Amino acid sequence: MTTTRELVLNTEPFLLNIGPVHPSTHGVYRMRATLDGEVVIDIEPVFGYLHRGIEKLMEERTYTGCIPLTDRLDYVSSMTNNMGYCMAVEKLAGIKVPERAEYIRVIAAELQRIANHCLAVGAMLNDAGALGTPFFYLWREREKIYDLLEMLCGQRLMHNYMRIGGVSQDMPEEFLPALEKLIIQWRRFIEEFDFFLKQNEILIARAKGVGILSKELAINCGISGPVARASGIKRDLRKDDPYLIYDRFKFDIPTAENGDCYDRYRVRIEEMRQSLRILEQARKQIPGGPAKAELPHLVHPPAGEAYAHIEAPKGELGFYIVSDNSIAPYRCHVRPTSLINLTALREMVRGWKVADLIIIFGSIDITMGEVDR
Amino acid sequence: MVIPDFALNVPLAMQVTPADWPGGYWWHWLFFTIIIIAFVLIMVMGVIYIERRGMGRMQSRLGPNRTGPFGLLQPVADAIKVLLKENIVPATADKVVHWLAPIIAFSPVLMIFAVIPFQNGALLADLNIGILYIIAVSSVATVGVFMAGWGSSNKYSLLGAMRNVAAIVSYEIPLALTIVGVIIFSGSLSMNQIVVAQDIPYILVQPLGFLLFFIAASAEINRSPFDLMEADSELTAGFHTEYSGMKFAMFYLVEYAEAIAMSAIITTLFLSGWRGPWLPPWLWFLIKTIIVFFVMVWTRTTLPRVRIDQLMALAWKFLFPLALVNLFIAAIEVLVWPDISQWIFVGANIVIAALLVILGSKLFKIGWGRLEV
Amino acid sequence: MKFENYGIGIIKGMAVTISHLFRHPTVSQFPEQRLNISRRSRGNELVWSREKCTGCATCAKACPQGAIEIVTSTNLKENKYEVEKYRVDTGYCIQCGLCVEACPYDALFMGYSYERAKYRRNDLIQADDELLESPERPVSGYFHPEIAEKLPKQTLLVEKVTEKRKKE
């Protein structure tokens, strides 16, 4: 028996292709969304548009020559990629890194973490429609960090700074005074940014309660990084499995309970504050010494395999290297943080509207370089 | 020249010309028509310039500053560029509807300026139903938008246009109710009389009315934070996708001309129009209009966008009850205490406005959450 | 989901935005005002020194892209290699700097300039004498500290006070 309502409103869902060329700045990612009016029923992700065969190319280059390739994985934060790879090779070959090099690595990694979170928060707010104002403010502060990273290694984006056994060059003498000024200015900026946006009602209405990722789903999917911490999972590799010298620094791990977009944004801002704390402590404690271990020109690790993981800004980034005692890795596999974080997108998005889809996707913070490799 | 018969008899409609105007009815009409067209076109250019430079400075960058001194010729450059573009009409579009839509969207905006006083008695037509005419005519622009969406034969344009129509229709009601509140105090519908009756600017006497009118006006003209229709092209394109060249320029012009029109209406209704010491009255009018427009640019820079269901919820659940209560209180004040000084109303109304905003915010529930699919 | 804070958040946001109107914008007008890039910058080009190069081809082996091509011949009278052709395809070069680090004789330098675009793709393949140092092709201090000391200091955004009006 058909009711009057069924006779009048005969709707059916339609397919919308949110194409590879996105206005939102996350790279070439394609979603085929099934919509019922405005409500998203299902999405089907299609990726692979940026596949460059990095893992295969790594088999043909020497261990040091692979480092520029790892730059291009998560092209937004190159220092941490380099660091993960170098740590895997050092673990395989049993190389000890001098202490000053470890401090420089920590400083570079934390600076990169702040810069990455700037981009993540800025892009998410840009997708929410704030016409670029928080984006510009964050970008202006990110320029300060990039000036320092350029002072270290010479380029702004593809740093290629870490080497097996340390870093490639020691820091110049104007680096530490500049770092001190940066920390002071950044502390003031975060206060101002919080004043600007933390209580903004429209942002709260758009982002609070939207795209909730439950704790069980996050653990089952293997989510890591700020996305997992916003769902209440208190795991951070810097505390649970300390690599480098992170056990010498005092810092907290920010978490949140709900797992919605607003919490992910808050967790990233708090992580920026904690990174500033680590930077301050590292700046005071840095010793003298060599910046790179003395190694032969071509590294010959013994045959075997090793896996090293670090807390990259987006999550847990891991490198698994198999070597057969030659100058090139036999096989190198990257644990792609962004791809694994992306697997939960479908569950997060179903039932929300199209505008929410964009903001949820922005809040997970992925980079297609890591997804496709 | 031969004076036609009907000009000799001077029917009632033509008594809108002041009796001492040199040259009679037709010179008055010609003079003001030229002034209004020149005013709208020049102000649109000036306003585009103010918006781009103002928004740029608020985002810690400069706006355009290369074309001409201080970038003053940038709108001219934009106009020339847009004139030289190819005029593309989709093959399956409804040609007549597609062609007529920009015209129907633009003409009402020009017609609004006929009743806005630039000086005491300096209007094209001093209708004694001035404000009612404005409400009636400004709704016609919606038809133009809908025709644009329909005539493009693109399902996303149609969706965008329908959303626009829904939003504008919803926001007409608080707009009209707030205007009635002002009319109760001024005692006349004629725009010139409203300005003359404002010994105290109505922004003080009706603070809640001003706030509601500002929000409703921003939503009517699709400005941020309510610019779903034009910048929703993150995902689906707005109603003016299939337009290029001069027709697109007309839609662009419509947006800024409506912004100026709403600023002018706000100045006349709430900020006591052309009244002020020392400077000539039309200069005061201009200054106040530009200040109101600047406040619109300021909110555009700061706030992210709302979602479509939040937009509708804001109109029906927040603005509409508050507008009704505002009307009620204004009516009581004018009826029960007609002779009392208006400063007492100012104090009482500010307190009542604050209470109502807080109460409304507490009781207000925005939009739906997640739907079960 | 209710409107918390009754509109105070929006007013705070607007206060921050309007305060930026009175600050100096963080902009430098490019062709008229230029900033100094890093002293260790890995610029667009490779600079080669013919006197110091011995043709050992360590740089070619270190390059991950294989952009360097060296052809040498033996010179038995003077008992050293003679470099006949030293060709770099700067289109393939990713400016990683591994060749500069690898050279045992300090014969390679990274370029310091950044406005060296070419009109044709073939002009990117540079050989022999085009690779020498010249006033249009200054060298940067990447991996060469003695050169880095002589270059001007990098302009840092942390030192430019952008909250006050200041001509940079």
Side-chain angles (χ1 to χ4, degrees):
Chain A
M1 180 178 89
T2 55
T3 62
T4 321
R5 190 185 167 94
E6 284 173 9
L7 284 175
V8 167
L9 295 174
N10 187 15
T11 59
E12 55 180 47
F14 70 100
L15 202 65
L16 180 67
N17 187 25
I18 305 174
V21 180
H22 240 267
S24 349
T25 57
H26 298 288
V28 275
Y29 180 65
R30 179 173 163 207
M31 292 187 268
R32 305 179 75 225
T34 313
L35 303 176
D36 178 14
E38 285 262 351
V39 178
V40 173
I41 298 184
D42 195 6
I43 64 166
E44 179 196 329
V46 178
F47 47 84
Y49 289 91
L50 196 53
H51 181 71
R52 297 155 289 178
I54 286 187
E55 294 181 0
K56 176 73 183 171
L57 286 176
M58 278 195 189
E59 296 172 15
E60 296 165 13
R61 282 151 171 71
T62 62
Y63 280 95
T64 314
C66 283
I67 297 180
L69 281 179
T70 58
D71 269 342
R72 282 140 173 94
L73 281 175
D74 177 6
Y75 40 77
V76 165
S77 50
S78 320
M79 289 285 194
T80 42
N81 294 354
N82 289 350
M83 198 163 86
Y85 174 75
C86 292
M87 277 171 57
V89 178
E90 284 154 15
K91 197 165 165 182
L92 188 57
I95 301 173
K96 175 108 180 41
V97 178
E99 203 172 330
R100 186 177 168 89
E102 300 216 335
Y103 273 93
I104 300 180
R105 278 185 176 181
V106 166
I107 290 179
E110 292 306 313
L111 280 175
Q112 191 70 72
R113 188 183 310 270
I114 300 178
N116 180 319
H117 286 328
C118 277
L119 174 68
V121 173
M124 180 184 107
L125 289 169
N126 207 16
D127 292 342
L131 279 184
T133 307
F135 190 71
F136 271 113
Y137 294 163
L138 286 166
W139 218 256
R140 178 191 69 204
E141 305 302 318
R142 196 169 182 242
E143 281 297 313
K144 296 180 181 165
I145 296 180
Y146 267 169
D147 278 340
L148 258 72
L149 290 176
E150 191 187 355
M151 201 196 296
L152 276 182
C153 66
Q155 276 198 346
R156 284 156 54 96
L157 211 59
M158 301 291 158
H159 299 126
N160 190 18
Y161 184 55
M162 316 269 176
R163 297 279 180 271
I164 301 168
V167 295
S168 84
Q169 293 161 270
D170 203 347
M171 50 172 83
E173 68 263 357
E174 60 258 16
F175 187 78
L176 287 175
L179 184 64
E180 187 176 353
K181 280 190 205 147
L182 180 94
I183 296 176
I184 296 173
Q185 289 183 9
W186 251 91
R187 286 211 165 106
R188 251 187 319 173
F189 169 68
I190 289 193
E191 296 307 321
E192 185 189 57
F193 195 72
D194 260 355
F195 184 73
F196 176 46
L197 216 44
K198 182 165 149 186
Q199 284 184 317
N200 194 336
E201 283 86 7
I202 298 185
L203 178 67
I204 293 179
R206 280 301 293 271
K208 219 177 176 88
V210 170
I212 295 187
L213 180 66
S214 63
K215 201 166 170 178
E216 294 77 30
L217 185 65
I219 297 179
N220 286 341
C221 285
I223 314 275
S224 55
V227 180
R229 273 175 244 141
S231 296
I233 307 172
K234 199 174 171 93
R235 269 190 68 88
D236 186 333
L237 280 177
R238 296 175 287 174
K239 286 255 195 234
D240 299 327
D241 186 9
Y243 52 97
L244 293 183
I245 40 168
Y246 274 106
D247 40 4
R248 297 189 203 178
F249 300 121
K250 283 208 297 267
F251 59 100
D252 304 320
I253 313 285
T255 52
E257 301 96 37
N258 296 336
D260 50 20
C261 290
Y262 189 72
D263 281 341
R264 292 192 268 270
Y265 149 73
R266 288 308 310 160
V267 162
R268 290 198 169 102
I269 302 271
E270 292 302 316
E271 276 194 8
M272 285 203 251
R273 284 206 172 98
Q274 299 304 319
S275 289
L276 285 176
R277 268 176 84 179
I278 299 180
L279 278 174
E280 183 67 39
Q281 293 168 45
R283 184 185 71 83
K284 292 199 182 106
Q285 293 174 16
I286 186 166
K292 181 168 184 281
E294 289 289 331
L295 286 176
H297 179 67
L298 292 173
V299 179
H300 265 271
E305 57 191 30
Y307 176 72
H309 55 180
I310 62 167
E311 179 76 20
K314 294 184 161 73
E316 174 185 336
L317 177 68
F319 282 85
Y320 172 70
I321 304 188
V322 178
S323 120
D324 58 350
N325 202 14
S326 68
I327 58 171
Y330 181 70
R331 172 83 171 101
C332 173
H333 175 70
V334 178
R335 180 202 186 269
T337 321
S338 302
L339 178 60
I340 295 182
N341 282 355
L342 201 56
T343 51
L345 180 67
R346 187 172 173 270
E347 286 309 312
M348 274 200 260
V349 152
R350 302 177 74 204
W352 292 101
K353 300 198 175 40
V354 167
D356 298 318
L357 167 68
I358 304 282
I359 196 175
I360 295 173
F361 184 61
S363 74
I364 308 180
D365 183 29
I366 66 165
T367 307
M368 290 313 286
E370 257 185 338
V371 173
D372 290 336
R373 271 163 284 135
Chain B
M1 86 183 190
V2 174
I3 300 182
D5 236 0
F6 59 90
L8 281 176
N9 287 338
V10 188
L12 197 65
M14 292 195 180
Q15 284 169 0
V16 296
T17 313
D20 56 346
W21 186 265
Y25 176 73
W26 290 109
W27 285 114
H28 182 257
W29 172 84
L30 191 65
F31 180 67
F32 272 104
T33 308
I34 293 179
I35 283 201
I36 287 177
I37 294 182
F39 176 74
V40 170
L41 292 178
I42 295 180
M43 276 291 280
V44 163
M45 289 200 166
V47 138
I48 290 179
Y49 175 75
I50 291 176
E51 167 154 34
R52 288 178 72 166
R53 290 286 291 210
M55 212 160 115
R57 287 306 293 260
M58 289 199 257
Q59 289 172 349
S60 169
R61 59 180 173 100
L62 299 168
N65 66 344
R66 292 273 173 185
T67 48
F70 297 107
L72 284 168
L73 293 180
Q74 180 70 32
V76 176
D78 280 341
I80 296 178
K81 172 199 83 163
V82 126
L83 274 173
L84 293 176
K85 287 208 175 190
E86 181 188 349
N87 190 6
I88 304 176
V89 176
T92 52
D94 195 339
K95 299 278 186 304
V96 176
V97 170
H98 189 90
W99 184 79
L100 269 182
I103 303 174
I104 294 189
F106 185 57
S107 337
V109 181
L110 270 184
M111 284 163 69
I112 289 182
F113 280 96
V115 291
I116 294 188
F118 292 88
Q119 203 167 331
N120 194 359
L123 311 128
L124 179 53
D126 190 1
L127 298 176
N128 54 357
I129 48 158
I131 197 72
L132 185 62
Y133 165 84
I134 287 184
I135 299 179
V137 157
S138 68
S139 313
V140 178
T142 320
V143 178
V145 163
F146 193 65
M147 284 169 68
W150 175 261
S152 298
S153 86
N154 181 354
K155 69 175 128 141
Y156 308 131
S157 297
L158 187 61
L159 268 177
M162 295 204 325
R163 272 197 216 166
N164 197 3
V165 168
I168 289 186
V169 163
S170 320
Y171 277 92
E172 286 284 342
I173 300 184
L175 200 77
L177 287 176
T178 322
I179 291 180
V180 174
V182 165
I183 294 171
I184 288 180
F185 269 96
S186 77
S188 152
L189 284 168
S190 150
M191 297 284 267
N192 207 19
Q193 280 304 110
I194 294 179
V195 176
V196 166
Q198 282 185 39
D199 295 319
I200 312 174
Y202 283 156
I203 183 174
L204 292 175
V205 180
Q206 294 243 287
L208 186 61
F210 174 72
L211 190 67
L212 297 177
F213 192 89
F214 192 78
I215 298 178
S218 297
E220 289 266 319
I221 58 185
N222 294 337
R223 280 203 61 100
S224 221
F226 307 109
D227 60 348
L228 305 163
M229 269 37 90
E230 64 181 33
D232 204 21
S233 48
E234 283 173 355
L235 181 57
T236 45
F239 59 88
H240 53 62
T241 357
E242 301 282 349
Y243 284 90
S244 61
M246 198 59 205
K247 294 185 196 162
F248 174 72
M250 292 280 263
F251 278 116
Y252 201 58
L253 206 74
V254 163
E255 188 201 331
Y256 283 102
E258 277 193 329
I260 300 174
M262 283 295 170
S263 309
I265 295 174
I266 291 181
T267 323
T268 324
L269 287 182
F270 290 99
L271 292 176
S272 72
W274 43 259
R275 291 171 73 134
W278 308 323
L279 295 174
W282 52 268
L283 198 60
W284 270 119
F285 175 74
L286 217 59
I287 290 175
K288 288 179 191 176
T289 308
I290 292 182
I291 290 179
V292 174
F293 182 75
F294 184 72
V295 174
M296 282 189 186
V297 170
W298 188 7
T299 51
R300 179 184 194 200
T301 315
T302 320
L303 299 173
R305 214 173 285 146
V306 301
R307 224 168 49 204
I308 180 72
D309 57 324
Q310 292 169 350
L311 182 76
M312 305 294 277
L314 191 71
W316 289 103
K317 297 193 216 171
F318 186 70
L319 294 184
F320 178 53
L322 284 184
L324 275 180
V325 174
N326 181 34
L327 180 58
F328 218 55
I329 292 178
I332 291 178
E333 283 177 356
V334 168
L335 276 182
V336 177
W337 301 289
D339 300 320
I340 213 172
S341 152
Q342 288 202 326
W343 286 104
I344 301 187
F345 288 155
V346 170
N349 277 345
I350 290 183
V351 169
I352 292 178
L355 277 175
L356 278 177
V357 167
I358 292 179
L359 194 65
S361 318
K362 259 190 145 13
L363 297 174
F364 173 50
K365 194 171 172 324
I366 271 194
W368 303 325
R370 181 195 171 140
L371 296 176
E372 282 309 310
V373 287
Chain C
M1 211 177 2
K2 306 191 203 292
F3 249 142
E4 307 156 74
N5 308 312
Y6 321 123
I8 303 281
I10 294 183
I11 298 180
K12 281 189 190 174
M14 294 181 47
V16 169
T17 320
I18 200 73
S19 74
H20 271 88
L21 195 62
F22 304 111
R23 294 190 203 171
H24 191 59
T26 320
V27 165
S28 65
Q29 303 283 348
F30 173 62
E32 292 95 24
Q33 301 166 339
R34 284 161 201 249
L35 307 174
N36 293 336
I37 57 178
S38 159
R39 299 195 279 188
R40 297 179 182 177
S41 129
R42 309 205 289 252
N44 283 2
E45 299 166 317
L46 209 59
V47 175
W48 178 58
S49 154
R50 199 191 269 283
E51 296 83 36
K52 295 193 196 153
C53 178
T54 59
C56 67
T58 314
C59 54
K61 291 182 202 135
C63 178
Q65 303 290 99
I68 304 182
E69 181 186 337
I70 304 182
V71 175
T72 54
S73 59
T74 51
N75 186 345
L76 288 170
K77 279 195 289 249
E78 294 176 36
N79 199 19
K80 65 178 188 183
Y81 276 137
E82 178 128 358
V83 177
E84 284 181 9
K85 184 161 83 152
Y86 189 95
R87 207 175 81 140
V88 176
D89 187 353
T90 46
Y92 268 115
C93 174
I94 56 176
Q95 285 103 34
C96 63
L98 288 176
C99 53
V100 175
E101 291 180 32
C103 178
Y105 301 102
D106 287 342
L108 271 183
F109 309 85
M110 297 295 302
Y112 185 66
S113 51
Y114 49 88
E115 293 176 44
R116 304 280 299 156
K118 310 276 184 296
Y119 283 102
R120 294 197 181 81
R121 187 161 182 333
N122 289 339
D123 289 344
L124 283 174
I125 304 177
Q126 299 173 330
D128 303 323
D129 286 325
E130 291 162 12
L131 288 170
L132 297 176
E133 180 180 350
S134 65
E136 293 99 37
R137 310 177 99 240
V139 293
S140 90
Y142 184 72
F143 231 71
H144 294 273
E146 68 283 357
I147 298 181
E149 280 164 0
K150 301 199 192 88
L151 291 170
K153 273 201 184 219
Q154 184 187 353
T155 41
L156 297 172
L157 190 55
V158 290
E159 285 170 11
K160 278 175 26 154
V161 178
T162 51
E163 275 82 17
K164 298 202 279 264
R165 287 212 161 256
K166 190 167 171 175
K167 290 260 175 238
E168 68 267 345

